[in-house]
Amino acid sequence: MKGYIGTYEGVGSVGIYGFEMDVRSGEMSGGELVCEAPDAKFLALEDGVLAAPVKRGEQAGILLADVRRRSGSGSSEGEKEEVLTERVASCYVGMDGGRLFSANFHEGTVSVYRIEGLKAVLEKRILIGEGAGCHQVLFSGRRMLVPCMELDEIRVFERDGAFAEAGRIRLPEGCGPRHGVCDREEKRLFIVGQKNNRLYCFHMMEDGKFREAWNLGLLDGTEESGNEAAAIRLSADERFLYVSVRGADIVVVVSLEEGTGKVVQRKECGGRHPRDLVLAADGRFLITANRDSRDLVSFPVDQGSGRIGKECGRVRTGRAVCIALEE
């Protein structure tokens, strides 16, 4: 299995890196530069096209790269295009239905691009507010959801060409909603608060509104300063959630089997400052991206209990913050 690593800009960290994982053992190799793209801190991959934020001097925007010809884990720049329409690089990109969506934390915007081959054509820019902390774009039914960390709310927009605002989901003051995930039927929304290290579950009602069902502390009753929840992933069978917490440098495993959330494991991430994590090879392995130790680490996952086992692979790379896997 091939994958890509998005990184923060820094010495020895200049873009997107590649790696491979053995789907039988979880062992990894590679970690070399695939595409020079400063501040490519989030990735989206669809049909052989890799999307990432990029920074060029005083400008920033979106990069699209064709990675279908990449062989192995080594360097292979390939064909790529960039469009620079922002002042600072976005913190999130995602692709859906021939469009690319980016969330800009500092500018407080969501940008919608139409994808034409390797060209990203700006269709609409939604201004939520300077410093709103827009951190992700995700979809639930006919709605587009934007967690806004600094506003302690999730802005809801219609999922049509106009993207009109359709409501707001309020969270407790000081929560700092960062990332979320929806179940397959798009009836449940799970959101993690970066600032208070809590997990929230909302039910989507028939009228399109969201009602909080439960919330759960991730850190054993403590909210020590310096601990910040980051990524959240849902297992394919929708029985478990996995959340990375930097500072504590752990992955928290949450069981959903009793209709509510229950922490079943807090596992060391294998490095320092975990950001992204992904489930690979049909959920049999979990990979963490650790920014400050500059590595990816893989672990086996017991699919019966959801628990994470001992480290089985490691790759050194740039300041890793995001992982994208080829299907």
Side-chain angles (χ1 to χ4, degrees):
M1 173 180 287
K2 296 177 183 177
Y4 301 88
I5 309 161
T7 65
Y8 272 138
E9 185 179 20
V11 177
S13 184
V14 295
I16 302 168
Y17 296 76
F19 72 98
E20 291 188 340
M21 188 188 81
D22 187 319
V23 296
R24 296 164 298 180
S25 67
E27 293 180 352
M28 295 190 293
S29 60
E32 296 91 354
L33 183 68
V34 170
C35 179
E36 184 270 342
D39 229 16
K41 51 198 170 187
F42 208 90
L43 303 176
L45 179 61
E46 187 175 282
D47 297 329
V49 175
L50 188 66
V54 66
K55 183 175 71 174
R56 300 291 182 190
E58 299 299 315
Q59 293 181 296
I62 297 297
L63 173 144
L64 293 176
D66 187 341
V67 295
R68 283 169 287 195
R69 298 185 184 88
R70 184 170 81 93
S71 60
S73 57
S75 176
S76 176
E77 280 279 327
E79 190 177 355
K80 61 182 182 179
E81 295 281 349
E82 296 178 4
V83 56
L84 304 176
T85 65
E86 299 170 88
R87 292 181 286 109
V88 295
S90 291
C91 66
Y92 174 88
V93 294
M95 289 190 276
D96 180 81
R99 286 189 170 110
L100 184 146
F101 299 83
S102 71
N104 196 303
F105 184 92
H106 298 286
E107 294 184 8
T109 59
V110 171
S111 297
V112 183
Y113 297 87
R114 184 176 68 256
I115 301 174
E116 298 179 352
L118 287 183
K119 294 185 181 297
V121 180
L122 181 64
E123 286 189 330
K124 186 176 183 66
R125 179 157 289 146
I126 303 167
L127 175 62
I128 293 176
E130 189 85 14
C134 306
H135 222 293
Q136 189 190 23
V137 178
L138 66 156
F139 299 101
S140 178
R142 66 179 188 276
R143 302 292 169 85
M144 181 178 80
L145 312 178
V146 182
C148 298
M149 183 185 297
E150 302 303 329
L151 301 180
D152 290 321
E153 64 184 26
I154 302 167
R155 293 290 177 94
V156 183
F157 299 89
E158 296 290 350
R159 193 177 175 178
D160 56 17
F163 294 98
E165 185 171 335
R168 304 181 184 186
I169 305 171
R170 290 293 305 168
L171 288 107
E173 184 177 354
C175 166
R178 178 184 173 93
H179 276 195
V181 62
C182 295
D183 63 9
R184 275 189 300 274
E185 294 185 354
E186 297 180 327
K187 292 182 177 180
R188 293 179 297 173
L189 165 67
F190 302 98
I191 290 285
V192 65
Q194 174 176 313
K195 297 180 181 180
N196 68 357
N197 295 297
R198 296 193 74 83
L199 172 67
Y200 296 84
C201 174
F202 290 88
H203 288 170
M204 184 174 179
M205 313 308 290
E206 291 185 1
D207 61 3
K209 296 181 179 179
F210 292 82
R211 175 180 58 83
E212 183 178 331
W214 51 264
N215 68 80
L216 174 71
L218 298 172
L219 295 180
D220 197 20
T222 64
E223 296 180 6
E224 297 178 15
S225 126
N227 296 327
E228 294 182 324
I232 178 172
R233 299 287 182 175
L234 179 63
S235 64
D237 59 12
E238 300 188 342
R239 295 168 56 213
F240 303 100
L241 283 165
Y242 297 84
V243 181
S244 59
V245 183
R246 54 198 181 181
D249 293 347
I250 59 174
V251 176
V252 181
V253 185
V254 177
S255 171
L256 303 173
E257 293 185 296
E258 297 179 6
T260 186
K262 178 183 178 181
V263 174
V264 295
Q265 187 185 24
R266 296 180 179 91
K267 171 72 174 177
E268 294 83 0
C269 69
R272 299 190 310 277
H273 202 89
R275 297 297 291 264
D276 200 8
L277 51 81
V278 295
L279 292 161
D282 296 326
R284 291 184 291 113
F285 297 96
L286 180 138
I287 306 172
T288 61
N290 304 310
R291 189 194 71 183
D292 290 355
S293 52
R294 295 182 174 226
D295 51 24
L296 262 59
V297 182
S298 60
F299 304 88
V301 176
D302 183 304
Q303 293 179 290
S305 67
R307 293 174 65 88
I308 303 166
K310 294 182 179 179
E311 175 186 328
C312 57
R314 182 181 294 264
V315 163
R316 296 282 297 169
T317 186
R319 301 178 69 203
V321 291
C322 185
I323 306 167
L325 299 177
E326 290 188 358
E327 296 182 359

